[in-house]
Amino acid sequence: MARLDPHSYTESSQPLAKHVALTLYFDFAARTIHGSALLTLPAAYTGPLLLDTRSLLIHSVLDPHTTAPIPFSLPSDPTPDPVLGQPLSLSLSAQSAALVVFSTSPTSSALQWLSPAQTASKAHPFVYTQCQSIHARSLFPSQDTPAARIVFSARLNLPHPLTAVMAAARAAAPRDPVPGEVGFACPDALWCAPGRSVEEFIMNRPIPPYLFAFAAGDIAARDVGLRTRVHAEGGAAVLDAAAREFAGAEEMIRAGEALFGPYEWGRFDLLVLPPSFPYGGMENPMMVFLTPTVIKGDASGAQVVAHELAHSWTGNLITNKTNEHFWLNEGFTTYAERRIVEVVQGEEIAALNMGIGWRGLNDEMERFKDNMEFTKLKPNLEGIDPDEIYSQVPYEKGFQFLWRIERQVGRPTFDEFLKKYIAKFKFQSIDTEAFLEFLKANLPGIENQIDLKQWVEGTGIPPDAMEPVSLIYSKIVSLSNEFKLGKIPKEQEVANWSGQEWELYIENLPKSVEPSQIAALDAHYRLSESRDYEVKVAFLQLAISSGCKEYFGEVERTLKQVGRMKYLRPLYTALVQGSAEETKMSARRIFAEARDTYHPIAQGVVESILAKHS
């Protein structure tokens, strides 16, 4: 027996479910979902079937045709594996389907439940999912590996006046519950209680479990394009700002189609979540989830949307088979994002994006200097929690690899290759070996021109990687170098800068400078007060490492305002890496006070940072 994926109990010898029908009853008071998952296999099967679970209470497993019990078991050791959770073993006998009845736990790592006080409306609760990388198993029993692609239907029972959105097509208008339809998920009296409504969704394109997503709460919406509607929890102000920021979504979709082929998902809707959302964006098909921190007021947040849109071809359409091949998702998507940005916003903006990525890749080399395994495009992740080693390596080293191939063969040839690649593997999950085989077959001799093994299996940054070249990029780097000599940029030199230019400038400054220089820079340009969190956090990180205690109050406010891990990770790390015990104590105190506002995934990441420096 061999596992299909180092992060799943799914066995390679067992069939993969092709369809899942979910019935979910939301209990906001208990922060629990009572549900059932009907898993359908390709054919009748006899033998054990292992499913991934974490923090789930399994009530029963039934044959959906006869309602006869199906034998099942969980490990006798009640302590779950800290990364994998627990395997649920079903014993099937010539059966092609199984109905698993379960309840989630308030500690489900895929769910964040927000009280009314934690929402913008202050009147209604809110809940949303984040299943990447391996958190779908805490939402419903599943073969929680990207190698397993499923279609699904979902029936959600919510209290009035809440509504739901989902990364799927709406199957019908919200309606009253119908007696008998709940099956075994919860008592009929509960399902049909007064003040409840049912919403139904369907996803008829096969997706990996990590792309399963929904949100429920007081959600408003507005159309911003032919295929795009913006949804938001934050009320009219957030909705207005989001509609302005993402007004160019349709132009981006068309640019993506011209580059990579037809958009296969129908809708490209966007949901702006509360500030606790742990990522910048999540590429859930048909319903991208976004942090409100990408709304910057100058349309530059659309670059995050460009990245999530690019996933519609590379990541959602073609998916990495396991997280050890994550670069196939993120390296390709970073490349595709920059191609879309180049078309829509221009070459200089794309070059700035590349420059920020180059700086980030070099920073990751320093971060992983004691474990260079995680600087490989294809690392060994056996026993490793993907969330703990999440980094820019698969994004930026993956981008550099693809850019290197483009430079070798020329853009027209590489564009033709990309379209062939997407057409060949769409709606499949593949590994690096499949990509390399296709690469060598379609670009003959490429293995003699580029050291493919060094790029994929080697540590560090290969010598034929390339720092981007552009006039604005070179100018910003030059100004950063002048800062080392005590020179602050003149107002006329930065008059036309947006947040992206400032971010690149700060990222190229020394990691520690004189506090007086930090104060002088901020006095001129108020970077600590920037509305652009990329700029603000980069500046505050520099202030912490330079010992500027006058900014620690702003650091604390920032850590209590947002839950995006891109900001939490560097700020908490900077606080605990210093030698001052007072600063480390501040980090622990801030986390204790802010913890409940963070998503469970972010909680785990910060706890890991604090534990390493305890």
Side-chain angles (χ1 to χ4, degrees), residues 215-284:
D218 183 12
I219 300 172
R222 181 177 304 164
D223 288 333
V224 296
L226 294 174
R227 289 175 276 190
T228 303
R229 179 174 297 156
V230 172
H231 304 256
E233 181 276 331
V238 173
L239 190 60
D240 289 345
R244 289 192 297 269
E245 193 83 15
F246 309 130
E250 180 62 28
E251 184 182 5
M252 286 188 173
I253 297 172
R254 290 174 181 169
E257 288 182 313
L259 289 165
F260 311 119
Y263 180 78
E264 300 269 3
W265 303 94
R267 300 288 302 174
F268 180 67
D269 291 338
L270 309 170
L271 172 65
V272 180
L273 285 165
S276 59
F277 184 55
Y279 293 100
M282 182 62 209
E283 64 270 19
N284 308 310

Side-chain angles (χ1 to χ4, degrees), residues 3 45 84 104 106 147 184 188 190 229 238 318 322 358 365 371 415 467 591:
R3 294 218 312 263
Y45 171 72
L84 300 179
T104 65
F184 297 88
D188 212 46
L190 200 61
R229 179 174 297 156
V238 173
I318 305 174
T322 75
W358 176 256
M365 298 302 114
N371 196 337
D415 282 353
E467 185 174 7
F591 177 61

Side-chain angles (χ1 to χ4, degrees), residues 478-490:
S478 175
L479 289 173
S480 296
N481 290 332
E482 290 179 1
F483 185 84
K484 301 171 187 177
L485 304 175
K487 180 182 176 184
I488 292 174
K490 297 176 182 178

Side-chain angles (χ1 to χ4, degrees), residues 44-297:
Y45 171 72
T46 297
L49 184 72
L50 294 181
L51 303 177
D52 296 300
T53 73
R54 183 194 291 128
S55 303
L56 292 178
L57 178 60
I58 306 301
H59 300 295
S60 60
V61 182
L62 307 171
D63 184 312
H65 304 295
T66 66
T67 71
I70 292 177
F72 72 93
S73 63
L74 290 162
S76 56
D77 182 356
T79 304
D81 183 279
V83 176
L84 300 179
Q86 292 180 304
L88 170 64
S89 179
L90 314 184
S91 296
L92 301 184
S93 178
Q95 291 161 305
S96 61
L99 180 71
V100 185
V101 183
F102 65 93
S103 295
T104 65
S105 161
T107 61
S108 166
S109 59
L111 292 166
Q112 183 171 23
W113 300 85
L114 300 178
S115 68
Q118 293 174 301
T119 67
S121 71
K122 308 298 182 186
H124 303 290
F126 192 87
V127 65
Y128 68 92
T129 59
Q130 175 57 39
C131 290
Q132 194 180 51
S133 297
I134 52 171
H135 300 281
R137 67 194 65 188
S138 71
L139 188 56
F140 63 95
S142 59
Q143 292 164 318
D144 192 10
T145 166
R149 302 181 72 99
I150 55 171
V151 296
F152 70 83
S153 61
R155 182 180 293 158
L156 282 56
N157 183 301
L158 303 165
H160 290 314
L162 305 188
T163 58
V165 295
M166 199 164 194
R170 187 176 290 277
R175 58 171 176 80
D176 292 335
V178 176
E181 69 178 346
V182 64
F184 297 88
C186 70
D188 212 46
L190 200 61
W191 183 264
C192 295
R196 308 289 300 193
S197 65
V198 171
E199 302 193 33
E200 296 173 287
F201 300 86
I202 186 168
M203 170 55 76
N204 58 16
R205 300 167 180 85
I207 63 168
Y210 74 82
L211 291 176
F212 181 86
F214 62 72
D218 183 12
I219 300 172
R222 181 177 304 164
D223 288 333
V224 296
L226 294 174
R227 289 175 276 190
T228 303
R229 179 174 297 156
V230 172
H231 304 256
E233 181 276 331
V238 173
L239 190 60
D240 289 345
R244 289 192 297 269
E245 193 83 15
F246 309 130
E250 180 62 28
E251 184 182 5
M252 286 188 173
I253 297 172
R254 290 174 181 169
E257 288 182 313
L259 289 165
F260 311 119
Y263 180 78
E264 300 269 3
W265 303 94
R267 300 288 302 174
F268 180 67
D269 291 338
L270 309 170
L271 172 65
V272 180
L273 285 165
S276 59
F277 184 55
Y279 293 100
M282 182 62 209
E283 64 270 19
N284 308 310
M286 305 178 70
M287 183 64 69
V288 167
F289 284 9
L290 296 168
T291 168
T293 63
V294 303
I295 302 174
K296 303 176 183 180

Side-chain angles (χ1 to χ4, degrees), residues 11-66:
E11 292 285 348
S12 59
S13 60
Q14 297 174 2
L16 297 176
K18 295 302 180 185
H19 186 277
V20 177
L22 291 162
T23 299
L24 305 174
Y25 176 91
F26 289 67
D27 185 341
F28 279 85
R31 299 192 168 200
T32 298
I33 294 174
H34 303 297
S36 64
L38 173 58
L39 291 87
T40 302
L41 304 177
Y45 171 72
T46 297
L49 184 72
L50 294 181
L51 303 177
D52 296 300
T53 73
R54 183 194 291 128
S55 303
L56 292 178
L57 178 60
I58 306 301
H59 300 295
S60 60
V61 182
L62 307 171
D63 184 312
H65 304 295
T66 66

